[in-house]
Amino acid sequence: MRNTVRQELVARQLDEQIAARYPVGQRLGVLDVGLGQGTQALRLARAGHNVTGLESDPEMAAAFREALDAEPEGIRERVRIVEGDGRDTGAHFPPGAFDIVLCHGVLMYVTEPDPMLAGMARVLAPGGLLSLVVRNADALAMRPGLAGNFDAALAAFDSPDYTNRLGLRARADRLEALTATLTGIGAPLHTWYGVRVFTDQAADDEAPPPAGEALDRLLAAEDRAGRTDPYRSVAALLHLCGVRG
């Protein structure tokens, strides 16, 4: 449930931003920093774009290669995987090399994100789109509070650090701070969305409704909430879209 909602909403929001900036049918250069399972990377490659995935974990890179091998040749040839750290984008790619840079679900594991963000902005072409998905520090108390874990909820008011559902220590980001950072690196915030306003409390193994009317209604409600104040402010995740000046 949680991953389905996240990936579907981010896909809709990305497509909206791409359609607003580029002519229909234009083949774009996309960099996915911290490729992971590569859901959006594969989707964009299927749409005709040239995608480079940067991944530091050999196991994750291998899993993505296995998924890529199942794709038709025309899609496989549009995808390149580079093994490397997202904090070293400048060592791997020249300035202005990409139209779109994705960094989804990565910044929460980076202690000092500003240099990494600056490096990603440098490899964006003028007018290019920087897409970030981060944990929302301004709503960090929501999940433990709704679950009745009030010690964790109280702690979340004072610190952006938390333990995620994988048992890993992570860090959330505040919209105001990221807005200032994006301005400082020359890719000011263009728009932002909330992701998972209503479904963040779902169990890890809870399946979404089967494809059909029920799933459509769920996604429609999440999509609407993610665009509407004050609901988007309390979403578990934020999707920020900056544009390179």
Side-chain angles (χ1 to χ4, degrees), residues 107-113 135 160-162 169-173:
L107 289 187
M108 57 268 291
Y109 301 114
V110 179
T111 304
E112 297 292 339
R135 186 70 191 275
D161 298 327
Y162 67 101
R169 291 297 294 168
R171 181 193 57 78
D173 285 286

Side-chain angles (χ1 to χ4, degrees), residues 22 26-31 96-101 123-130:
Y22 300 102
Q26 180 175 341
R27 183 168 292 184
L28 303 172
V30 180
L31 173 64
F98 299 98
D99 301 298
I100 300 171
V101 174
V123 300
L124 264 180
L129 178 68
L130 177 60

Side-chain angles (χ1 to χ4, degrees), residues 135-143 146 192-200 222 225-226 228-238:
R135 186 70 191 275
N136 182 9
D138 293 319
L140 199 56
M142 290 294 291
R143 183 189 292 173
L146 290 172
W192 66 278
Y193 309 88
V195 177
R196 284 207 314 253
V197 174
F198 302 127
T199 54
D200 192 56
E222 283 281 8
T228 305
D229 292 322
Y231 303 101
R232 62 177 180 165
S233 299
V234 296
L237 305 172
L238 299 179

Side-chain angles (χ1 to χ4, degrees), residues 23-42:
V24 174
Q26 180 175 341
R27 183 168 292 184
L28 303 172
V30 180
L31 173 64
D32 192 343
V33 177
L35 179 66
Q37 65 187 17
T39 301
Q40 299 301 327
L42 273 179

